[in-house]
Amino acid sequence: MRVVFMGTPDFSVPVLDALVEAGHEIAAVYCQPPRPAGRGKKDRPTPVHARSEALGLEVRHPVSLKSPEEQTAFADLNADVAVVVAYGLLLPQPILDAPTHGCLNIHASLLPRWRGAAPIHRAIMAGDAQTGICIMQMEAGLDTGPVLLRQATDIEPQETTAQLHDRLAPMGARLIVEALNRLPDLTPEPQPEDGVTYASKIDKAEAKIDWTRPAIEVDRLIRGLSPFPGAWTEIGDSRVKLLASKLAEGQGAPGEVLNDTLRVACGEGAIDLLRLQRAGKGAQDMETFLRGWPVAAGTRLSSE
């Protein structure tokens, strides 16, 4: 098929690779424009942009698709289908209508649960037992279109957003290749009205840990916000990101360190901190972190 690919972050790259490997013709790649990054704040191309150039594909990065000129340029590609995954721009109706088979979205949740911007984070933060990938026929509403294919996967008890992301990306790649191969025979399944939830964009204000909350909620927050923006607490006068954890037995005052290996009491129960990051430092496992900065039992962590 002649495909327009629309994606931006790391999550999208395996999908582009899978489409190329499957022999589809990539008419053009759309992604977000390069933006300042790093210490020098120089413009840095997105992961999809960089991969597309390495593959010798045409890259387009308009700031909007609302203008008649951009819509005409898109239509002139004469695509059979557009594949969209974490692109970052709303698609106006003329864009949705331009390809022969419309636009297919790879969404990292089991729709209608977790429509919106941060489905992987929200699934972990909510304590969902399962998530997955849906291949959806796009329409004007936010992730409201009918589903062509879906595949579920269990969320592991200690899994972080980064780890789940890395499992779902290749799953999405495999599923979209299957969908394109079977496209004429697939029946779009309308999403049910019941069970709709929205995965709103992560706000950095959510990252502050409230140690008075039950351990199960604190653990989900840590894993759901890892690696970005990273849930945080204060140890002494330093802000520390907490990037991995697990539930543990124990009780004490909220935020109290219960042993010499960073078991911390919550409002109910306790958690073990497994991976941490001090400001300006790299992420470290608990043992390495404590060798450089011992934290004694009885220390109180706070997020004031």
Side-chain angles (χ1 to χ4, degrees):
M1 284 191 171
R2 184 170 169 83
V3 178
V4 174
F5 183 77
M6 310 180 84
T8 293
D10 288 317
F11 187 82
S12 310
V13 173
V15 180
L16 177 59
D17 285 340
L19 292 172
V20 172
E21 186 174 337
H24 294 289
E25 178 189 0
I26 308 300
V29 173
Y30 280 71
C31 60
Q32 290 287 295
R35 291 193 168 91
R39 291 184 177 180
K41 296 300 180 184
K42 294 183 179 179
D43 281 352
R44 178 182 297 174
T46 67
V48 164
H49 188 156
R51 182 59 181 152
S52 299
E53 288 189 337
L55 292 169
L57 301 174
E58 178 187 349
V59 180
R60 301 179 179 182
H61 42 74
V63 295
S64 170
L65 294 170
K66 295 179 180 179
S67 73
E69 294 78 13
E70 286 294 346
Q71 293 170 11
T72 298
F74 185 89
D76 286 346
L77 291 168
N78 296 313
D80 295 312
V81 68
V83 171
V84 185
V85 52
Y87 174 40
L89 284 183
L90 293 176
L91 305 189
Q93 196 64 47
I95 298 292
L96 296 174
D97 293 340
T100 304
H101 298 287
C103 300
L104 303 185
N105 178 243
I106 303 170
H107 188 75
S109 81
L110 298 176
L111 294 167
R113 186 157 179 80
W114 301 127
R115 296 173 179 174
I120 300 177
H121 300 76
R122 296 297 177 189
I124 291 178
M125 291 165 71
D128 289 4
Q130 281 194 326
T131 188
I133 293 290
C134 283
I135 306 299
M136 178 190 67
Q137 185 81 50
M138 295 182 72
E139 56 184 32
L142 177 63
D143 298 330
T144 58
V147 174
L148 298 174
L149 284 177
R150 67 173 66 223
Q151 182 177 349
T153 185
D154 291 342
I155 299 176
E156 299 299 326
Q158 295 180 35
E159 199 159 27
T160 66
T161 285
Q163 293 165 335
L164 184 54
H165 167 285
D166 289 350
R167 288 203 298 118
L168 291 176
M171 183 185 298
R174 291 191 299 270
L175 211 59
I176 191 62
V177 170
E178 179 183 349
L180 294 184
N181 288 341
R182 297 172 53 193
L183 196 54
D185 302 320
L186 292 176
T187 301
E189 177 185 325
Q191 294 183 38
E193 296 296 326
D194 294 336
V196 174
T197 57
Y198 288 93
S200 56
K201 186 178 179 180
I202 298 297
D203 189 324
K204 288 185 177 181
E206 297 179 74
K208 181 173 70 172
I209 292 176
D210 179 356
W211 292 108
T212 68
R213 305 301 301 167
I216 193 168
E217 294 182 13
V218 175
D219 174 62
R220 291 170 182 171
L221 182 73
I222 290 170
R223 294 184 295 108
L225 297 185
S226 175
F228 182 84
W232 63 270
T233 191
E234 289 182 347
I235 303 178
D237 295 330
S238 298
R239 180 179 292 197
V240 178
K241 286 186 179 182
L242 310 180
L243 300 175
S245 59
K246 68 176 181 180
L247 295 174
E249 295 184 356
Q251 58 185 14
E256 180 185 356
V257 178
L258 300 177
N259 61 15
D260 292 328
T261 55
L262 284 177
R263 178 165 295 184
V264 183
C266 301
E268 297 175 12
I271 62 169
D272 286 334
L273 301 181
L274 304 178
R275 193 162 181 81
L276 307 91
Q277 183 176 14
R278 296 173 64 182
K281 307 289 185 180
Q284 298 176 313
D285 60 47
M286 176 269 295
E287 293 87 353
T288 304
F289 181 89
L290 289 176
R291 280 199 295 271
W293 190 16
V295 181
T299 300
R300 289 288 292 274
L301 310 187
S302 69
S303 299
E304 298 300 326

